[in-house]
Amino acid sequence: MQTNLLLIDGFNLLSRGYFATSYGKSDEELTKNSQGLYTNALRVFFQKLCNLISDHSISHVAVAWDVKREETTRRQKYDFYKATRNELPDPLIQQYETCTALLDKLGITQLVTPPYEADDAIGAMALKWTLLEQGHCYIYSNDKDLLQLLNEQTSQIIAGKKGDMIYSVSHFRTDYQIEPNQWVDVKALLGDKSDNIPGCPGVGEKSALPLIQQYGSIEQLFEQLDELDAKFNRYKKKLVEGKETSIISKELAKIICDIPQLHELDMETLTYELEREKCLSAFSEIELKIKVLA
């Protein structure tokens, strides 16, 4: 029997569904059910979940959720991490609570692993799956940080205007001419405005990737700064000045794949089969119209 694991970045999917269907609308204009619960993001979330399970012959599934910002290892060490993020809208928070309850009802495993973030939980489970030499692992998220997890057994499903793309390790190598584990070094130089990761000020997209392509990692780059290739001379001063923030940025951008509370998790607890009638019954309780193909 074919075994494929689906790991969903919960907030990434739920929030994208929310903002796509709430653009230009007030809270009062958002879709609600007869119980007064908001459902605009839930419809997107559960339709996509059902489609993914059916389309990719999924046998094992888990949804990973972020913990509160202040509880994360990164925020505890660096108080500026994600400090610029806005609070979530109340209708989205309400739908998160409804979503987790409905996932429980459907019997779908949810991963909440404080003080680690959803990306870390996804990384730990993807690595565990790879080491077990099971079937394929599909990560569903539009977060490019997760590209560092790609390997022969792990691909990322990225949503686009023309539909989903299964982004494999071969796609990554073709696009960037580096290995996925070097992606964190590119991020260390670029930083990330959305997470308030500083990177190396003055080193942008035109230079970050070529530097890592040539030097392999930020550690090797900084070791060889004195003999820096002449074509990068204009960045030398910026690299000297940004060494400390680059090293911190790599620490923040690197996904933690060693999570103690997931060591003993039996992968068989993630097995899942879409039972059409059970799903339709659960969805109808909160008046969600979802097509279940299984």
Side-chain angles (χ1 to χ4, degrees):
M1 179 186 167
Q2 189 177 20
T3 58
N4 291 319
L5 171 64
L6 172 65
L7 297 171
I8 292 179
D9 182 348
F11 269 119
N12 186 275
L13 175 53
L14 190 67
S15 62
R16 280 193 296 110
Y18 174 81
F19 289 110
T21 55
S22 64
Y23 184 77
K25 296 179 182 177
S26 65
D27 289 357
E28 291 70 33
E29 293 174 293
L30 300 179
T31 310
K32 290 183 183 178
N33 64 13
S34 61
Q35 302 156 49
L37 293 173
Y38 291 103
T39 59
N40 61 305
L42 293 173
R43 185 186 60 76
V44 176
F45 185 97
F46 284 101
Q47 188 60 71
K48 177 54 72 174
L49 172 65
C50 291
N51 292 351
L52 289 167
I53 291 171
S54 295
D55 293 348
H56 302 289
S57 304
I58 298 301
S59 59
H60 297 64
V61 62
V63 178
W65 297 105
D66 279 317
V67 297
K68 289 181 181 176
R69 225 171 289 168
E70 296 71 26
E71 295 175 5
T72 66
T73 53
R74 295 171 181 85
R75 182 63 175 266
Q76 287 167 7
K77 190 168 181 181
Y78 301 106
D79 60 3
F80 60 82
Y81 177 67
K82 291 191 176 180
T84 53
R85 289 225 176 158
N86 295 325
E87 293 303 311
L88 297 175
D90 289 339
L92 177 54
I93 294 171
Q94 185 195 87
Q95 288 180 85
Y96 160 70
E97 292 165 354
T98 307
C99 186
T100 56
L102 188 48
L103 286 168
D104 277 340
K105 189 168 284 191
L106 294 173
I108 291 176
T109 300
Q110 298 178 75
L111 305 173
V112 182
T113 53
Y116 305 100
E117 299 176 52
D119 284 6
D120 301 319
I122 288 170
M125 296 306 287
L127 176 61
K128 189 166 184 165
W129 188 258
T130 300
L131 294 173
L132 288 169
E133 296 184 345
Q134 300 269 19
H136 208 77
C137 172
Y138 296 97
I139 297 169
Y140 185 81
S141 177
N142 274 33
D143 184 351
K144 285 194 170 183
D145 291 347
L146 292 160
L147 294 177
Q148 62 190 276
L149 301 174
L150 299 180
N151 58 39
E152 303 299 340
Q153 266 183 265
T154 304
S155 301
Q156 185 168 341
I157 302 174
I158 300 172
K161 290 179 181 177
K162 295 181 180 178
D164 292 345
M165 177 186 184
I166 301 175
Y167 195 81
S168 68
V169 66
S170 60
H171 287 120
F172 181 88
R173 288 170 180 151
T174 299
D175 288 347
Y176 298 105
Q177 285 88 53
I178 56 172
E179 288 300 308
N181 63 0
Q182 294 173 287
W183 185 241
V184 71
D185 293 280
V186 177
K187 296 283 292 186
L189 294 174
L190 282 179
D192 188 330
K193 283 186 180 178
S194 66
D195 289 342
N196 205 32
I197 296 176
C200 185
V203 176
E205 291 190 11
K206 288 182 180 177
S207 51
L209 181 59
L211 281 163
I212 299 307
Q213 285 170 338
Q214 182 154 339
Y215 292 97
S217 68
I218 60 166
E219 290 80 9
Q220 289 172 290
L221 169 62
F222 289 124
E223 271 181 30
Q224 297 176 59
L225 266 188
D226 290 341
E227 301 90 39
L228 192 68
D229 191 311
K231 66 185 176 187
F232 296 119
N233 273 350
R234 60 182 292 205
Y235 300 106
K236 191 168 184 177
K237 185 170 184 286
K238 291 165 184 172
L239 287 165
V240 170
E241 292 171 349
K243 180 179 178 180
E244 185 179 352
T245 57
S246 298
I247 291 168
I248 291 170
S249 296
K250 181 171 180 175
E251 183 184 351
L252 289 169
K254 188 173 177 59
I255 291 174
I256 301 164
C257 293
D258 183 11
I259 299 181
Q261 56 261 56
L262 295 180
H263 286 174
E264 302 305 316
L265 180 65
D266 184 352
M267 295 304 261
E268 288 311 297
T269 62
L270 274 59
T271 55
Y272 191 75
E273 189 174 338
L274 272 180
E275 295 176 38
R276 192 170 187 276
E277 296 309 315
K278 178 183 175 183
C279 291
L280 290 175
S281 173
F283 295 144
S284 67
E285 281 182 33
I286 56 170
E287 299 160 36
L288 279 181
K289 291 182 179 178
I290 306 293
K291 291 180 183 175
V292 182
L293 302 175

